[in-house]
Amino acid sequence: MKLEKLAEILKTVAHEKRLRILVLLEEFDQNICVCEFVDALNVPQYQVSQHLRELRGKDLVRGNRDGTWVYYSINPDLPRDVRRLIEGLLEHLDSEDYSREMEKLEERLELREDGKCVIGYDESDE
Amino acid sequence: MKLEKLAEILKTVAHEKRLRILVLLEEFDQNICVCEFVDALNVPQYQVSQHLRELRGKDLVRGNRDGTWVYYSINPDLPRDVRRLIEGLLEHLDSEDYSREMEKLEERLELREDGKCVIGYDESDE
DNA sequence: AGGTTGTATGCAATTATGTACATATAGCTA
DNA sequence: TAGCTATATGTACATAATTGCATACAACCT
């Protein structure tokens, strides 16, 4: 991959919240909607949307609208080298470091009906 | 590795010039002095020093002074996981993308005497 | 000591990034 | 249609990164 491209991707990814978003997408390997991120990461909705927009802007991530909900996933059309780069990065993480988010997200996913999110996010974001 | 640590390293590394510096250090696997970087990368001396300072600040790189010259290398005491991270990142690069710098650096290294740099950098930095 | 050369740093100007809030938009439902 | 909910975006502000330049510092040499 070109050096400029690598630098660009690293810059996009070099942010705590965006890393957390990517980890959850990688680990659960399924579509996750914005409100599920909000609850799992305990980050205000506008921030989640903003980070997702950045990731989307670099084509790392893709959103699919289903009604009012928008489900995000790692962009399945990502070039193989970029894909491997991302995976490689995340492999360096201690899993304890995001286990709490994993658990929270798991709880949220259990609230889905027919595989779909049916509730919003908790307004009382501490 | 902790997620914040990963984000921090990625942020430090997510810069075209700093990536080029790291590539050269990895590929040549030896001490390289500031003026050699200046000529190889064709970047003003103060910029090279600044980028090296940032890399040094995060302990990714180490400088050893020998007379007026300062030779840099990948920090040999880098924790193994960090070391692997850096190596992993650089492996994604097309080597054509930095082959010119490699050649220029090779030429510069040939001008060393007894393994030591004996000239400065070219003032006429285009 | 004085001059020279390689390297580092401080400062100012610009640009980019992060954050918070308000509000807009899209699609649902009644 | 109106109202609601999920998501997206615009704006404003603070903060950080980048860049260019001048200059300081360190070590050498005469």
Side-chain angles (χ1 to χ4, degrees):
Chain A
M1 141 172 28
K2 292 206 54 170
L3 201 139
E4 286 81 4
K5 178 76 179 168
L6 177 60
E8 189 191 24
I9 294 176
L10 294 182
K11 225 153 83 168
T12 306
V13 161
H15 187 289
E16 193 227 325
K17 297 297 190 306
R18 292 197 284 274
L19 278 177
R20 291 198 189 277
I21 287 174
L22 288 174
V23 171
L24 292 181
L25 287 174
E26 275 286 352
E27 291 287 333
F28 281 86
D29 196 29
Q30 68 173 298
N31 294 338
I32 297 174
C33 83
V34 177
C35 62
E36 288 167 340
F37 278 122
V38 170
D39 280 354
L41 297 176
N42 204 33
V43 164
Q45 175 268 322
Y46 65 82
Q47 278 195 18
V48 171
S49 282
Q50 273 171 164
H51 289 309
L52 286 170
R53 170 167 49 169
E54 287 202 53
L55 294 171
R56 222 188 321 132
K58 306 295 181 188
D59 274 331
L60 299 182
V61 129
R62 238 184 36 184
N64 283 86
R65 182 176 282 273
D66 178 7
T68 40
W69 286 271
V70 178
Y71 294 88
Y72 280 88
S73 55
I74 304 266
N75 176 6
D77 301 327
L78 217 49
R80 189 159 303 157
D81 54 353
V82 178
R83 182 72 213 233
R84 284 199 306 122
L85 170 63
I86 304 287
E87 284 172 0
L89 288 180
L90 300 180
E91 275 169 13
H92 289 275
L93 290 174
D94 298 339
S95 58
E96 315 104 52
D97 212 18
Y98 52 85
S99 54
R100 255 198 84 199
E101 283 95 342
M102 295 271 294
E103 289 167 23
K104 283 211 214 170
L105 181 53
E106 199 144 16
E107 287 174 28
R108 270 298 313 247
L109 291 177
E110 283 171 13
L111 301 179
R112 286 191 180 186
E113 291 174 12
D114 297 326
K116 294 188 179 185
C117 180
V118 292
I119 59 174
Y121 57 91
D122 190 2
E123 292 275 5
S124 65
D125 36 77
E126 321 145 33
Chain B
M1 148 171 21
K2 293 207 49 168
L3 200 138
E4 286 82 3
K5 178 77 180 168
L6 177 61
E8 189 192 24
I9 294 176
L10 294 182
K11 222 152 85 168
T12 305
V13 161
H15 187 289
E16 193 227 326
K17 296 296 190 307
R18 291 197 286 274
L19 278 177
R20 291 198 190 275
I21 287 173
L22 289 174
V23 171
L24 292 182
L25 287 174
E26 275 288 351
E27 292 286 334
F28 280 86
D29 195 29
Q30 67 173 300
N31 293 338
I32 297 172
C33 83
V34 178
C35 64
E36 288 166 340
F37 279 122
V38 170
D39 281 353
L41 298 176
N42 204 34
V43 164
Q45 175 268 321
Y46 66 83
Q47 278 196 16
V48 171
S49 283
Q50 273 170 166
H51 289 309
L52 286 171
R53 170 166 53 170
E54 288 202 54
L55 294 171
R56 223 189 319 134
K58 305 295 181 189
D59 273 331
L60 298 182
V61 129
R62 238 183 37 182
N64 283 86
R65 182 177 283 273
D66 179 5
T68 40
W69 286 272
V70 179
Y71 294 88
Y72 281 87
S73 54
I74 304 267
N75 175 6
D77 302 327
L78 218 49
R80 190 159 304 156
D81 54 354
V82 178
R83 182 72 213 234
R84 283 201 305 124
L85 170 61
I86 304 287
E87 283 172 3
L89 287 180
L90 300 180
E91 276 169 13
H92 290 274
L93 289 175
D94 298 339
S95 57
E96 314 106 52
D97 212 17
Y98 52 85
S99 54
R100 253 199 87 199
E101 283 95 343
M102 295 271 293
E103 288 167 24
K104 283 209 214 170
L105 181 53
E106 200 143 14
E107 287 174 28
R108 270 298 313 247
L109 290 177
E110 283 171 13
L111 301 179
R112 285 191 180 185
E113 291 173 13
D114 297 326
K116 294 187 178 185
C117 180
V118 291
I119 58 173
Y121 56 91
D122 189 1
E123 292 276 8
S124 65
D125 35 81
E126 322 144 31

